[in-house]
Amino acid sequence: MLKSRTAIASMIIILVVLIDQAVKIWIKTHFYLGEDLQIFSWFHLYFIENNGMAFGMELGSKLALTLFRIVAVGFLIWYIIRIRALRSVPAGYIICLAFVTAGAAGNIFDCVFYGLIFNNPMPPQVATIFPEAGGYAPLFLGKVVDMLYFPLFSFVWPDWIPFVGGQEFLFFQPIFNIADAAISCGIIALILFYHRYILGPKALAELPVRH
């Protein structure tokens, strides 16, 4: 059981990171910045970049955010290792943690390496991987690639509604990537189904060390 849990978590992390990076590299080298390809009316591939956290949010300095991500992934991997043998913890909980870990790791690669291995030409030119002139940013200061856009529906707020009356509302506006989706799905599932299994620092410290 221990080996199967470890194998499943490892496989999820590796597959999500590989798929996330493959899609990002393909988008980066085939789309110019700001290009919008409509697949369906409710699904677009829309290439943007951002400095922030999931779904393009901004939080603090770029370097601090990248270092925080690295520390968070290291903690999650340590946490999974510590709890993987506990019979009281269901496999679904570990799987959710693996998705969150994979998503965070996927965005780390963008931040750490993309500034070094890609250039950032002006549209409509697309980026080149390993350009002769070098990358667009130093180590740790790369930008996160986003491309998944789901404008599912829109409507205009009635004029009588304060503050937003007469304005158009579009759902869903954020543009994100596969790593963001893995983080979000993992956290939502944890909150809905596995919140009671989350262990605090004291409980973690009391767990036996397994080799």
Side-chain angles (χ1 to χ4, degrees):
M1 183 176 179
L2 172 59
K3 290 183 178 180
S4 64
R5 285 184 169 194
T6 304
I8 291 172
S10 300
M11 187 179 302
I12 289 172
I13 293 172
I14 292 170
L15 285 178
V16 170
V17 170
L18 288 178
I19 294 171
D20 175 68
Q21 288 301 304
V23 172
K24 287 174 176 174
I25 291 172
W26 181 76
I27 288 289
K28 186 80 174 163
T29 56
H30 289 79
F31 282 59
Y32 60 82
L33 188 62
E35 184 172 357
D36 180 6
L37 175 63
Q38 178 175 317
I39 308 300
F40 303 105
S41 61
W42 47 269
F43 172 47
H44 296 221
L45 291 177
Y46 193 151
F47 173 32
I48 65 169
E49 293 179 314
N50 71 81
N51 291 319
M53 300 186 72
F55 301 102
M57 294 183 292
E58 300 287 337
L59 181 64
S61 73
K62 177 65 181 178
L63 180 58
L65 179 59
T66 301
L67 294 175
F68 171 77
R69 283 189 175 121
I70 294 172
V71 172
V73 168
F75 170 77
L76 286 170
I77 291 173
W78 172 83
Y79 182 73
I80 291 172
I81 292 172
R82 291 299 301 273
I83 68 169
R84 72 192 192 281
L86 295 179
R87 296 182 181 276
S88 59
V89 175
Y93 178 62
I94 296 176
I95 289 172
C96 291
L97 291 175
F99 273 105
V100 175
T101 304
N107 283 333
I108 284 175
F109 280 97
D110 300 33
C111 298
V112 175
F113 299 113
Y114 276 24
L116 293 177
I117 67 174
F118 288 108
N119 62 352
N120 253 1
M122 293 294 293
Q125 296 182 348
V126 300
T128 301
I129 190 168
F130 303 117
E132 293 183 2
Y136 66 85
L139 190 71
F140 291 104
L141 297 180
K143 295 183 178 180
V144 176
V145 173
D146 292 328
M147 78 297 294
L148 303 177
Y149 178 43
F150 291 88
L152 298 179
F153 62 87
S154 63
F155 61 85
V156 176
W157 291 103
D159 292 334
W160 55 266
I161 297 181
F163 305 112
V164 297
Q167 298 181 22
E168 183 179 8
F169 174 81
L170 175 63
F171 183 89
F172 176 73
Q173 292 191 53
I175 302 171
F176 57 100
N177 56 46
I178 291 172
D180 296 334
I183 294 171
S184 300
C185 292
I187 290 176
I188 291 171
L190 282 173
I191 293 172
L192 292 179
F193 306 111
Y194 301 108
H195 59 275
R196 64 184 180 275
Y197 296 102
I198 298 175
L199 299 178
K202 183 178 179 181
L204 278 175
E206 294 174 351
L207 290 178
V209 178
R210 295 178 181 271
H211 300 283

